[in-house]
Each structure stands twice: as structure tokens, then as C-alpha cells.
Amino acid sequence: MTALSYRRLFRVPEFTPLFLSSAAHTAAQTVSGLALATLVYRATGSPLLSAVSMFGPSLAQVLGATVLLSGSDRMPPRSALTGISLAFAAATALMALPGLPTWGVFAVVLVQGLVASLGGGVRWGLLNEILGGAEGGYLPGRSLFNMMSGLTQITGYATGGALVTALSPRPVLLLAALLYAVSAAVARLGLTARAPRAAGRLSAAATRRANAALWSSRPRRLTYLGLWLPNGLVVGCEALFVPYDPGAAGTLFACAALGMLAGDVLVGRLLPPHRRSRLATPLLLLLAAPYTLFALHPGVPLAAACAALASVGFGASLVQQERLMRLTPPELSGHALGLHAAGMLTLQGVSAALAGGLAQLAAPGTAMAAMAGASIAVTTALALADRAAPRPDTAVPTEARL
């Protein structure tokens, strides 16, 4: 059983405002992503540009991970989360301007990605700090956040799809900007002022040193690759929902979010630790396998069922993150989780661009099946490499710490 029940989590100081702020931020991302992808697809007719517009901020994560990520543990969490949400609000409002050209949209998307590279490390590092680390409530807490994300995406994609159809993408972008502002207000008013987890200033050199320390261990490297590659390739499948069926994209996204919710409940709440620790590889295979059926170009009902079933496999991320926290010292927890988030989102953006490029050459369903096949191959290769690797679940040595 988990260390903390979901009900008890809300009694932990600061958990509720962090949860609500993240919910508003996720809702804004969901609504704005669908609206922006639809706007770009209507303007260009390009599956590639549509996919990149929706997942484009992820492509900038790799630059942020090499330059800015040390700020995850070196910035006051409340100020950082407030500033990130405000920056997203301003950028989203800018993209809603009627005269903004497509190249201008992608420039703003790039800036969003750079700002977002700090967000994962700050948010999840603070959650780990609030809930007492890997041996405390991090896994049930992260599970609850993932469930919230799934529910928010279900609602957001369904509502966003209806609003985009009834109105137009630009008013929906303005709604998303308002939601980002709400997220900033909740973080500023609900969280307490905490000192940074690590001393020093944000710098590219500190970021590189921490990345090198975290990457120095084979078990951590395999854990990171397992968190990044299979997940990213499957998100490439999701990036083609709009070109696969523009009118049903909201439904497909909502069903995928429903499956993710089910996976998080299964892994985070229902399975005991000794069982869930062995499920990472089976869940990653489940994450990709249903998308191979898209090669047959199924209708919307079967496609939605495949998306929902596949997304149960996203629960593998909880198992992998729990292991990552066991391998990481507390003073690097934010950076380690930020590196996970940045790498994952970068690979998602790269995969979205790759999937979009394939869809330019073949049908979207065929491209989705190809991405799913690549995810299955990568998962199998990583499982074989992990089986041959030593398995010490220990943190980085003291001499490697910063």
C-alpha cells in the first residue's frame, strides 16, 4: 500500500495550493495546445506544422536542460512557479493576436519551451520536498497529480474541442491565458516562501555539472532513457490526432487522458510496491501496442478505444520516477526530476516532429503505427540492457554531489 492515502495528502501543508495551481496550469496547456494545433492546421494544412505547434515547446526543453535547469533547486519555488505561469499567460495571449504570422507563433512557442524547462524541476522538486521524498508520499502524490492531469485533459480537450468548433481558436487561446494567470495567483497566495534547496546561482556551468553527476551512473541512465524514449515515441502518435481526424481530435485526446487516469490509479493506488516495481516494461509495451492498429485506419470508436487502452501504460512513469528518487540525493531531487521532465518533453517534441514528417509522406494512421513499432523496439532493448546491468538502488556517491 502507499505511504499516504489520497485523502491524507490534502492535509499536508502546501499540497493543496500546489495541486490547484498545477491543475489550472494543466487546463491552460490542454486548451491552448488543441486551439493552437487547430489554428495552425487551418492556416497551413500541414500535419507537420500542426504537430510541432502543439508539442513545439517540448523541442526547446533540451536547450533549457543544458542551460537553465540548475535553477530548479537554486530558485525560491513560490516565486519560480508564479513567474513561469505569468510568462505562459503573456505568451499565450500574444499567440491569440489576429495578425501574428505562423513564424511568429513558432517563435513564441520556442520561448514557452525555454521557460517551461524550469517548471518540471521546480514543481516536482517542491512536491518531493513537501511529501518527504521517495520513502514518504512522493509516489502517491505524483499519482494524484497525474490523475488530476488526466481528468483535466479529459475535460479540457472535450471543452476545448467544443469551443474551437463553436467559436474559433483565438478566443480559446485567450481563455487559456486567463487560466495561466489563475495558476500564478494560486501559487503566489497559497504557497509559503521557501528557501532554495541548493546554494548558488542559476548558471549553465552548474547545470552541466549536475547533469554529468546524474548521468554518471548506468542504472540512472537506463532509468532516464526508459522515461524518455518509449513515452516520447507514443506521444508522436498522439500528435497526429488532429490530422488523423480533425473533427474527432478532442474525443481521441480525451479518451487517451481517460486511459492515463486509469493507469495512474492502478499503479499509484491499487498495486502494492512489490508488484508495481516489476510492471514498468509490461506497461511500456501496452503504451505502444494498441497504436499499431492505426495502420488499418480504424474508425473513431475503435481508434478512441485503442488510445484509451494504450494510455493505461503511462502508469509506467510512476514506477520509473520512484526508482529515480531512490537513486538521487535530496539536494539534487529537483534537478533530477527537472532533467526527467525536460528530456521527456524534448523527446515528445522530437517525436511529434518526426511523426508529422512521416505523415507528410504517408497516411497519419500509418505514421502512428510506425512510431508505435519504434517504441516497442526501444522498450525491448532497454529491458534487455537493464537485465544485464547491476541494480544498486542507491543515491549518487557523496563525491559526485554538488
Side-chain angles (χ1 to χ4, degrees), residues 97-389:
L97 293 176
L100 189 67
T102 302
W103 67 263
V105 169
F106 284 104
V108 176
V109 163
L110 174 64
V111 173
Q112 278 188 313
L114 291 174
V115 174
S117 64
L118 278 173
V122 174
R123 181 173 291 107
W124 307 129
L126 177 58
L127 179 66
N128 188 58
E129 186 177 355
I130 289 172
L131 296 181
E135 302 306 321
Y138 177 78
L139 186 136
R142 186 61 189 267
S143 169
L144 191 56
F145 268 73
N146 287 358
M147 290 168 57
M148 171 272 292
S149 179
L151 288 171
T152 303
Q153 288 179 28
I154 293 168
T155 305
Y157 283 128
T159 304
L163 289 174
V164 167
T165 301
L167 303 172
S168 70
R170 297 188 194 281
V172 179
L173 287 172
L174 291 176
L175 172 62
L178 177 61
L179 288 171
Y180 281 127
V182 169
S183 173
V186 172
R188 180 64 181 83
L189 299 175
L191 297 174
T192 60
R194 287 174 175 259
R197 285 178 293 274
R201 295 187 302 173
L202 184 157
S203 72
T207 298
R208 288 194 297 271
R209 287 195 298 270
N211 286 344
L214 290 168
W215 198 250
S216 62
S217 158
R218 180 184 171 98
R220 278 194 304 278
R221 286 197 301 273
L222 291 174
T223 301
Y224 273 124
L225 292 174
L227 281 163
W228 295 344
L229 293 171
N231 175 307
L233 290 165
V234 168
V235 169
C237 300
E238 295 183 352
L240 296 179
F241 283 167
V242 171
Y244 185 81
D245 191 328
T251 299
L252 295 176
F253 278 118
C255 288
L258 180 62
M260 184 176 69
L261 171 63
D264 287 323
V265 173
L266 174 67
V267 175
R269 184 62 182 159
L270 299 180
L271 292 177
H274 71 277
R275 294 190 62 186
R276 68 176 179 240
S277 63
R278 297 192 293 268
L279 287 180
T281 297
L283 285 169
L284 288 175
L285 293 172
L286 175 63
L287 180 62
Y291 282 107
T292 60
L293 296 179
F294 277 75
L296 304 176
H297 309 289
V300 173
L302 180 55
C306 288
L309 177 62
S311 292
V312 173
F314 279 119
S317 176
L318 291 173
V319 180
Q320 294 166 308
Q321 287 178 65
E322 186 177 41
R323 185 185 184 201
L324 180 63
M325 286 296 91
R326 290 198 303 269
L327 293 164
T328 304
E331 65 270 21
L332 282 177
S333 62
H335 193 114
L337 291 168
L339 184 60
H340 149 55
M344 177 185 69
L345 292 171
T346 296
L347 265 296
Q348 288 178 359
V350 170
S351 297
L354 177 59
L358 289 174
Q360 296 280 102
L361 304 174
T366 303
M368 294 163 80
M371 299 297 290
S375 180
I376 291 171
V378 168
T379 296
T380 303
L382 288 173
L384 293 174
D386 187 55
R387 187 174 300 175

Side-chain angles (χ1 to χ4, degrees), residues 43-135:
T44 66
S46 169
L48 172 60
L49 293 180
S50 174
V52 172
S53 68
M54 190 168 191
F55 294 94
S58 305
L59 293 171
Q61 294 279 334
V62 65
L63 180 59
T66 57
V67 178
L68 303 176
L69 198 53
S70 63
S72 298
D73 293 303
R74 289 172 166 80
M75 296 176 65
R78 183 178 69 175
S79 299
L81 291 175
T82 302
I84 288 168
S85 291
L86 287 176
F88 266 77
T92 304
L94 180 60
M95 288 189 290
L97 293 176
L100 189 67
T102 302
W103 67 263
V105 169
F106 284 104
V108 176
V109 163
L110 174 64
V111 173
Q112 278 188 313
L114 291 174
V115 174
S117 64
L118 278 173
V122 174
R123 181 173 291 107
W124 307 129
L126 177 58
L127 179 66
N128 188 58
E129 186 177 355
I130 289 172
L131 296 181
E135 302 306 321

